[in-house]
Amino acid sequence: MTNIANLGFPRVGTKRELKRALEAYWAGDTSGEVLQDTARDLRHRHWTLQRDAGADIVPCNDFSLYDHVLDTAFLFDAIPERYRALADADPLAGYFALARGTQKGGYDLHALEMTKWFDTNYHYLVPELTGDQVFRLRGDKPVAEYLEARALGLQARPVLLGPVSFLLLAKTVDGSDRLELLDRLLPVYAELLGRLKAAGAPWVQIDEPCLVLDLDGDDKAAYRHAYAALAKADRPKLMLATYFGDVGDNLSLVRELAVDGLHIDLVRAPAQLDTVLLAWPRDLVLSLGVVDGRNVWRTDLDRALVLARQARDAIGSASLELAPSCSLLHVPIDASLERSLPKEIHDWLAFAREKIEELRILGDALDGKLQAEVALLDARGRQDRRRHSALVHRPDVAARLAAIGPSATRRQSAYPERQQAQAKRLGLPLFPTTTIGSFPQTHEVREARAQNKSGKLSDADYDAFLAAETEKCVRFQEQIGLDVLVHGEFERNDMVEYFGEQLDGFAFTKLGWVQSYGSRCVKPPIIFGDVRRPKAMTVRWSQYAQSLTDRPMKGMLTGPVTVLQWSFVRDDQPRSATCRQIALALRDEVLNLEGAGIGVIQIDEPALREGLPLRRADWKTYLDWAVEAFRLTASGVADETQVHTHMCYSEFNDIMDAVAAMDADVISIETSRSRMELLDAFVRFRYPNDIGPGVYDIHSPRVPQSSEMTDLLEKAVAVLKPQQLWVNPDCGLKTRGWPETRAALEAMVAAAQAMRAGVAAAA
Ligand code: GLN
Ligand code: ZN
């Protein structure tokens, strides 16, 4: 009998029940008990769902009120000093203070830093440690949730983030070495494992996703040391879980670790099965991640079965488990609840529930159960229909892409010539001012959109509303004296969804929520087929806005890599191929904007960096096609049309070549929070084109002084040519209110004027 095990399940609930409960609790409308009740209900519902879908082993302690890395830090009492009094007095309030900061009850605490969980769109809170860190068990969440699941009669397997990944994902704030803390941490892991054993847990899933990364000698030594120590503990059996990639060159290290089972990701890295099976020790359990935990497509069960049979023939089914490639946290819960998708597309989808059902079929097929045959036949039919669907394959898209030559990804002239042509056309002053695109998405704007969507506001009235908002925004920008204006993006719900809704090849779910962080969920579009642009998408609003003013109006687009990165993408062709299709559709849009008289066009790529593969060896391939896609989007225009790009993050050191190769005329970046430090990368590289280093942080309602911005600009002028510099905020203003937006932008314009005066005086 082959066991079906799940590694983790979404937490928020199909209707985002957890989000609602959290927000009510944060607002002070409900008590902590009510929140915990909702959480318990969700756990129970999700466990039963998994069991009913066919899981033999369900995960527990994968649930979190906010984030599992924060849970781990909290559990081991890795609570920075400033939060401690609150955490001691009111653990729940302390926990959320770490997660999101607090300004209640006389406290003024920032949240912990948040960052992306490997290459997913899930964000975890970065534990903050010090060299003299003391770890001890605080509470008994893993044990309590294990007992909870067992009380329902389930075979549950507690999930713990492993000690080495925990430390590697954390940071120290005093310059000490994280891994030096291992010896302090291991006794607490041993104690916890002992308690889980005493509670009756036969197995624990210990997640060490860092085993798929490039590890140095110290990391490897830490792994050896940690698992040698845990081998001595009186503990349940350990299923060591790796995911998100190939164990690769870490396999010999993994073989040295004294665990009782190993999970490998065979979706991202199917080829590793061969190497893993070589010299597999008979007494170890092997868990095969054969169903994609990162995407929404039904599995090619025949292909998965080949892998499962290969493993079974090599090691026997008693030591075999079938599982998703990783936790199902990254997919929505239940595709059967989607009622409005086209039937044909709906048939191809598997969310968490359907993925467990697929594993059940695979397990039954492996064990030779007859009922699996019918299910396999059905699955084969779906694969077949998808493979041949006219919705997926549009020959005209392939034909156009095939006809594209190398000149399509090159601007007509090199930057210096373009710069002259653009200067002549635009006639901008030194230190030109602009914004990143969006202006406040007020309650009114969102309300009008919702009303239009539900049919309560007619299209004509909604249009009139948007026109009025846009005009107000243009007048506002003129009045405060910005040089390059934007239309304000009032018509856009989301920077990817807005484009996806207008492109062929995209589908949208009603309940396809995925947790981004804490209570924040996103509903990524599903790219199911060849991407095509039936008609212009943004020209109308940009053209209208330009008609209102003599100043240059900047057209605003989301770049191909960002559209790709923030969607569920096809698994039947490489990501690079889908990205090229999106790029081609956006190229048409760029040309239409240019044709409509728009002389400045910004193509946002905030997700370019996060698309970087986990292993350095794979970076170049990715960056090559990502840059190529951007260039395909941007390069059709004449020299005098100015192309901007925007990236709202700060780590450019690793990707500077690629950023320069994009060859945008102007790039705006996040610099205000790091006080221009990240300009270093641009300076070291001698970035040749124009740069707009964000001069203030739009993520905070705080209004900056003009002098703060001139200080930052002085720093920039010290290392770059004044002719290279633009003045802008560090991201879009959609989350801000109007009063602070006005005050901040007025101060920003004043800062630019002061800089111009300074240069004039020096000359
Ligand atoms: N143009 C977008 C805006 O201003 C850019 C958003 C982003 O960088 N994430 O909102
Ligand atoms: Zn941004």
Side-chain angles (χ1 to χ4, degrees), residues 579-603:
C579 195
R580 235 164 99 78
Q581 295 180 353
I582 304 168
L584 188 60
L586 290 168
R587 176 188 178 92
D588 293 341
E589 188 70 15
V590 167
L591 291 172
N592 286 164
L593 282 168
E594 181 183 55
I598 304 296
V600 184
I601 299 168
Q602 179 169 312
I603 305 163

PDB file of all heavy atoms in Angstrom, residues 579-603:
ATOM      1  N   CYS A 579       6.446  34.280 -21.831  1.00  0.00           N
ATOM      2  CA  CYS A 579       6.891  35.651 -21.613  1.00  0.00           C
ATOM      3  C   CYS A 579       7.058  36.386 -22.948  1.00  0.00           C
ATOM      4  O   CYS A 579       6.687  37.549 -23.089  1.00  0.00           O
ATOM      5  CB  CYS A 579       8.215  35.626 -20.844  1.00  0.00           C
ATOM      6  SG  CYS A 579       8.647  37.222 -20.143  1.00  0.00           S
ATOM      7  N   ARG A 580       7.581  35.689 -23.937  1.00  0.00           N
ATOM      8  CA  ARG A 580       7.763  36.288 -25.259  1.00  0.00           C
ATOM      9  C   ARG A 580       6.423  36.651 -25.897  1.00  0.00           C
ATOM     10  O   ARG A 580       6.292  37.677 -26.555  1.00  0.00           O
ATOM     11  CB  ARG A 580       8.491  35.279 -26.154  1.00  0.00           C
ATOM     12  CG  ARG A 580       9.738  35.802 -26.784  1.00  0.00           C
ATOM     13  CD  ARG A 580      10.557  34.637 -27.299  1.00  0.00           C
ATOM     14  NE  ARG A 580      10.377  34.444 -28.733  1.00  0.00           N
ATOM     15  CZ  ARG A 580      10.969  35.194 -29.663  1.00  0.00           C
ATOM     16  NH1 ARG A 580      11.746  36.180 -29.306  1.00  0.00           N
ATOM     17  NH2 ARG A 580      10.779  34.957 -30.943  1.00  0.00           N
ATOM     18  N   GLN A 581       5.446  35.802 -25.688  1.00  0.00           N
ATOM     19  CA  GLN A 581       4.117  36.109 -26.234  1.00  0.00           C
ATOM     20  C   GLN A 581       3.549  37.375 -25.587  1.00  0.00           C
ATOM     21  O   GLN A 581       2.975  38.230 -26.259  1.00  0.00           O
ATOM     22  CB  GLN A 581       3.155  34.948 -25.992  1.00  0.00           C
ATOM     23  CG  GLN A 581       3.534  33.675 -26.743  1.00  0.00           C
ATOM     24  CD  GLN A 581       2.545  32.549 -26.484  1.00  0.00           C
ATOM     25  OE1 GLN A 581       1.647  32.675 -25.653  1.00  0.00           O
ATOM     26  NE2 GLN A 581       2.712  31.443 -27.193  1.00  0.00           N
ATOM     27  N   ILE A 582       3.697  37.460 -24.277  1.00  0.00           N
ATOM     28  CA  ILE A 582       3.188  38.656 -23.583  1.00  0.00           C
ATOM     29  C   ILE A 582       3.947  39.879 -24.097  1.00  0.00           C
ATOM     30  O   ILE A 582       3.358  40.942 -24.347  1.00  0.00           O
ATOM     31  CB  ILE A 582       3.366  38.514 -22.053  1.00  0.00           C
ATOM     32  CG1 ILE A 582       2.684  37.253 -21.536  1.00  0.00           C
ATOM     33  CG2 ILE A 582       2.816  39.743 -21.329  1.00  0.00           C
ATOM     34  CD1 ILE A 582       3.054  36.891 -20.104  1.00  0.00           C
ATOM     35  N   ALA A 583       5.245  39.711 -24.272  1.00  0.00           N
ATOM     36  CA  ALA A 583       6.071  40.828 -24.738  1.00  0.00           C
ATOM     37  C   ALA A 583       5.598  41.326 -26.100  1.00  0.00           C
ATOM     38  O   ALA A 583       5.515  42.529 -26.340  1.00  0.00           O
ATOM     39  CB  ALA A 583       7.535  40.398 -24.802  1.00  0.00           C
ATOM     40  N   LEU A 584       5.257  40.391 -26.954  1.00  0.00           N
ATOM     41  CA  LEU A 584       4.817  40.787 -28.295  1.00  0.00           C
ATOM     42  C   LEU A 584       3.498  41.565 -28.224  1.00  0.00           C
ATOM     43  O   LEU A 584       3.318  42.573 -28.914  1.00  0.00           O
ATOM     44  CB  LEU A 584       4.669  39.541 -29.185  1.00  0.00           C
ATOM     45  CG  LEU A 584       4.399  39.816 -30.659  1.00  0.00           C
ATOM     46  CD1 LEU A 584       5.533  40.634 -31.264  1.00  0.00           C
ATOM     47  CD2 LEU A 584       4.239  38.497 -31.429  1.00  0.00           C
ATOM     48  N   ALA A 585       2.599  41.100 -27.385  1.00  0.00           N
ATOM     49  CA  ALA A 585       1.321  41.809 -27.228  1.00  0.00           C
ATOM     50  C   ALA A 585       1.567  43.218 -26.676  1.00  0.00           C
ATOM     51  O   ALA A 585       0.963  44.194 -27.127  1.00  0.00           O
ATOM     52  CB  ALA A 585       0.404  41.024 -26.291  1.00  0.00           C
ATOM     53  N   LEU A 586       2.491  43.327 -25.722  1.00  0.00           N
ATOM     54  CA  LEU A 586       2.776  44.640 -25.130  1.00  0.00           C
ATOM     55  C   LEU A 586       3.530  45.549 -26.104  1.00  0.00           C
ATOM     56  O   LEU A 586       3.388  46.762 -26.079  1.00  0.00           O
ATOM     57  CB  LEU A 586       3.570  44.467 -23.832  1.00  0.00           C
ATOM     58  CG  LEU A 586       2.781  43.858 -22.667  1.00  0.00           C
ATOM     59  CD1 LEU A 586       3.721  43.458 -21.530  1.00  0.00           C
ATOM     60  CD2 LEU A 586       1.730  44.840 -22.147  1.00  0.00           C
ATOM     61  N   ARG A 587       4.319  44.931 -26.974  1.00  0.00           N
ATOM     62  CA  ARG A 587       5.027  45.723 -27.991  1.00  0.00           C
ATOM     63  C   ARG A 587       4.010  46.447 -28.888  1.00  0.00           C
ATOM     64  O   ARG A 587       4.180  47.616 -29.223  1.00  0.00           O
ATOM     65  CB  ARG A 587       5.910  44.788 -28.832  1.00  0.00           C
ATOM     66  CG  ARG A 587       6.628  45.454 -29.989  1.00  0.00           C
ATOM     67  CD  ARG A 587       7.308  44.371 -30.843  1.00  0.00           C
ATOM     68  NE  ARG A 587       7.976  44.918 -32.005  1.00  0.00           N
ATOM     69  CZ  ARG A 587       9.259  45.282 -32.036  1.00  0.00           C
ATOM     70  NH1 ARG A 587       9.996  45.172 -30.953  1.00  0.00           N
ATOM     71  NH2 ARG A 587       9.802  45.760 -33.144  1.00  0.00           N
ATOM     72  N   ASP A 588       2.968  45.726 -29.236  1.00  0.00           N
ATOM     73  CA  ASP A 588       1.920  46.354 -30.057  1.00  0.00           C
ATOM     74  C   ASP A 588       1.320  47.546 -29.316  1.00  0.00           C
ATOM     75  O   ASP A 588       1.026  48.578 -29.907  1.00  0.00           O
ATOM     76  CB  ASP A 588       0.814  45.340 -30.369  1.00  0.00           C
ATOM     77  CG  ASP A 588       1.307  44.209 -31.278  1.00  0.00           C
ATOM     78  OD1 ASP A 588       2.354  44.389 -31.937  1.00  0.00           O
ATOM     79  OD2 ASP A 588       0.640  43.160 -31.321  1.00  0.00           O
ATOM     80  N   GLU A 589       1.151  47.373 -28.006  1.00  0.00           N
ATOM     81  CA  GLU A 589       0.572  48.448 -27.204  1.00  0.00           C
ATOM     82  C   GLU A 589       1.516  49.656 -27.167  1.00  0.00           C
ATOM     83  O   GLU A 589       1.076  50.809 -27.293  1.00  0.00           O
ATOM     84  CB  GLU A 589       0.308  47.936 -25.781  1.00  0.00           C
ATOM     85  CG  GLU A 589      -0.454  48.885 -24.889  1.00  0.00           C
ATOM     86  CD  GLU A 589      -1.922  49.047 -25.284  1.00  0.00           C
ATOM     87  OE1 GLU A 589      -2.423  48.215 -26.071  1.00  0.00           O
ATOM     88  OE2 GLU A 589      -2.551  50.017 -24.814  1.00  0.00           O
ATOM     89  N   VAL A 590       2.800  49.380 -27.009  1.00  0.00           N
ATOM     90  CA  VAL A 590       3.798  50.461 -26.992  1.00  0.00           C
ATOM     91  C   VAL A 590       3.718  51.244 -28.309  1.00  0.00           C
ATOM     92  O   VAL A 590       3.691  52.480 -28.326  1.00  0.00           O
ATOM     93  CB  VAL A 590       5.219  49.872 -26.780  1.00  0.00           C
ATOM     94  CG1 VAL A 590       6.288  50.919 -27.069  1.00  0.00           C
ATOM     95  CG2 VAL A 590       5.364  49.339 -25.361  1.00  0.00           C
ATOM     96  N   LEU A 591       3.630  50.514 -29.402  1.00  0.00           N
ATOM     97  CA  LEU A 591       3.599  51.182 -30.708  1.00  0.00           C
ATOM     98  C   LEU A 591       2.307  51.973 -30.895  1.00  0.00           C
ATOM     99  O   LEU A 591       2.326  53.063 -31.473  1.00  0.00           O
ATOM    100  CB  LEU A 591       3.791  50.152 -31.825  1.00  0.00           C
ATOM    101  CG  LEU A 591       5.217  49.574 -31.853  1.00  0.00           C
ATOM    102  CD1 LEU A 591       5.330  48.411 -32.827  1.00  0.00           C
ATOM    103  CD2 LEU A 591       6.229  50.666 -32.204  1.00  0.00           C
ATOM    104  N   ASN A 592       1.219  51.441 -30.387  1.00  0.00           N
ATOM    105  CA  ASN A 592      -0.038  52.191 -30.469  1.00  0.00           C
ATOM    106  C   ASN A 592       0.026  53.471 -29.637  1.00  0.00           C
ATOM    107  O   ASN A 592      -0.495  54.508 -30.036  1.00  0.00           O
ATOM    108  CB  ASN A 592      -1.215  51.342 -29.991  1.00  0.00           C
ATOM    109  CG  ASN A 592      -1.618  50.271 -30.993  1.00  0.00           C
ATOM    110  OD1 ASN A 592      -2.323  49.341 -30.675  1.00  0.00           O
ATOM    111  ND2 ASN A 592      -1.140  50.396 -32.229  1.00  0.00           N
ATOM    112  N   LEU A 593       0.645  53.375 -28.470  1.00  0.00           N
ATOM    113  CA  LEU A 593       0.795  54.578 -27.640  1.00  0.00           C
ATOM    114  C   LEU A 593       1.623  55.623 -28.379  1.00  0.00           C
ATOM    115  O   LEU A 593       1.275  56.802 -28.442  1.00  0.00           O
ATOM    116  CB  LEU A 593       1.457  54.232 -26.296  1.00  0.00           C
ATOM    117  CG  LEU A 593       0.557  53.581 -25.243  1.00  0.00           C
ATOM    118  CD1 LEU A 593       1.394  53.016 -24.091  1.00  0.00           C
ATOM    119  CD2 LEU A 593      -0.465  54.582 -24.698  1.00  0.00           C
ATOM    120  N   GLU A 594       2.721  55.161 -28.946  1.00  0.00           N
ATOM    121  CA  GLU A 594       3.587  56.084 -29.691  1.00  0.00           C
ATOM    122  C   GLU A 594       2.798  56.714 -30.843  1.00  0.00           C
ATOM    123  O   GLU A 594       2.846  57.930 -31.065  1.00  0.00           O
ATOM    124  CB  GLU A 594       4.810  55.347 -30.221  1.00  0.00           C
ATOM    125  CG  GLU A 594       5.757  56.255 -30.987  1.00  0.00           C
ATOM    126  CD  GLU A 594       6.947  55.480 -31.582  1.00  0.00           C
ATOM    127  OE1 GLU A 594       6.720  54.492 -32.325  1.00  0.00           O
ATOM    128  OE2 GLU A 594       8.094  55.869 -31.312  1.00  0.00           O
ATOM    129  N   GLY A 595       2.060  55.880 -31.550  1.00  0.00           N
ATOM    130  CA  GLY A 595       1.268  56.357 -32.680  1.00  0.00           C
ATOM    131  C   GLY A 595       0.219  57.379 -32.248  1.00  0.00           C
ATOM    132  O   GLY A 595      -0.159  58.267 -33.014  1.00  0.00           O
ATOM    133  N   ALA A 596      -0.230  57.266 -31.014  1.00  0.00           N
ATOM    134  CA  ALA A 596      -1.248  58.194 -30.512  1.00  0.00           C
ATOM    135  C   ALA A 596      -0.611  59.475 -29.958  1.00  0.00           C
ATOM    136  O   ALA A 596      -1.295  60.274 -29.326  1.00  0.00           O
ATOM    137  CB  ALA A 596      -2.086  57.506 -29.442  1.00  0.00           C
ATOM    138  N   GLY A 597       0.690  59.615 -30.148  1.00  0.00           N
ATOM    139  CA  GLY A 597       1.341  60.858 -29.755  1.00  0.00           C
ATOM    140  C   GLY A 597       1.932  60.854 -28.354  1.00  0.00           C
ATOM    141  O   GLY A 597       2.349  61.891 -27.834  1.00  0.00           O
ATOM    142  N   ILE A 598       1.978  59.704 -27.729  1.00  0.00           N
ATOM    143  CA  ILE A 598       2.576  59.615 -26.394  1.00  0.00           C
ATOM    144  C   ILE A 598       4.096  59.483 -26.552  1.00  0.00           C
ATOM    145  O   ILE A 598       4.575  58.525 -27.154  1.00  0.00           O
ATOM    146  CB  ILE A 598       2.006  58.403 -25.615  1.00  0.00           C
ATOM    147  CG1 ILE A 598       0.476  58.486 -25.530  1.00  0.00           C
ATOM    148  CG2 ILE A 598       2.632  58.293 -24.235  1.00  0.00           C
ATOM    149  CD1 ILE A 598      -0.058  59.676 -24.749  1.00  0.00           C
ATOM    150  N   GLY A 599       4.830  60.423 -26.003  1.00  0.00           N
ATOM    151  CA  GLY A 599       6.273  60.473 -26.239  1.00  0.00           C
ATOM    152  C   GLY A 599       7.110  59.832 -25.139  1.00  0.00           C
ATOM    153  O   GLY A 599       8.319  59.657 -25.279  1.00  0.00           O
ATOM    154  N   VAL A 600       6.472  59.504 -24.021  1.00  0.00           N
ATOM    155  CA  VAL A 600       7.189  58.857 -22.916  1.00  0.00           C
ATOM    156  C   VAL A 600       6.368  57.629 -22.513  1.00  0.00           C
ATOM    157  O   VAL A 600       5.164  57.746 -22.267  1.00  0.00           O
ATOM    158  CB  VAL A 600       7.326  59.804 -21.701  1.00  0.00           C
ATOM    159  CG1 VAL A 600       8.155  59.163 -20.594  1.00  0.00           C
ATOM    160  CG2 VAL A 600       7.928  61.141 -22.117  1.00  0.00           C
ATOM    161  N   ILE A 601       6.991  56.472 -22.464  1.00  0.00           N
ATOM    162  CA  ILE A 601       6.259  55.246 -22.137  1.00  0.00           C
ATOM    163  C   ILE A 601       7.030  54.482 -21.061  1.00  0.00           C
ATOM    164  O   ILE A 601       8.219  54.196 -21.221  1.00  0.00           O
ATOM    165  CB  ILE A 601       6.068  54.363 -23.387  1.00  0.00           C
ATOM    166  CG1 ILE A 601       5.263  55.140 -24.442  1.00  0.00           C
ATOM    167  CG2 ILE A 601       5.367  53.057 -23.019  1.00  0.00           C
ATOM    168  CD1 ILE A 601       5.258  54.492 -25.807  1.00  0.00           C
ATOM    169  N   GLN A 602       6.352  54.184 -19.972  1.00  0.00           N
ATOM    170  CA  GLN A 602       6.996  53.450 -18.880  1.00  0.00           C
ATOM    171  C   GLN A 602       6.512  52.009 -18.867  1.00  0.00           C
ATOM    172  O   GLN A 602       5.311  51.744 -18.906  1.00  0.00           O
ATOM    173  CB  GLN A 602       6.676  54.120 -17.545  1.00  0.00           C
ATOM    174  CG  GLN A 602       7.293  53.413 -16.341  1.00  0.00           C
ATOM    175  CD  GLN A 602       7.187  54.251 -15.080  1.00  0.00           C
ATOM    176  OE1 GLN A 602       7.521  55.434 -15.096  1.00  0.00           O
ATOM    177  NE2 GLN A 602       6.721  53.654 -14.011  1.00  0.00           N
ATOM    178  N   ILE A 603       7.452  51.099 -18.799  1.00  0.00           N
ATOM    179  CA  ILE A 603       7.135  49.666 -18.745  1.00  0.00           C
ATOM    180  C   ILE A 603       7.641  49.157 -17.402  1.00  0.00           C
ATOM    181  O   ILE A 603       8.844  48.992 -17.198  1.00  0.00           O
ATOM    182  CB  ILE A 603       7.812  48.927 -19.923  1.00  0.00           C
ATOM    183  CG1 ILE A 603       7.398  49.571 -21.253  1.00  0.00           C
ATOM    184  CG2 ILE A 603       7.466  47.443 -19.896  1.00  0.00           C
ATOM    185  CD1 ILE A 603       8.311  49.203 -22.423  1.00  0.00           C
TER     186      ILE A 603
END
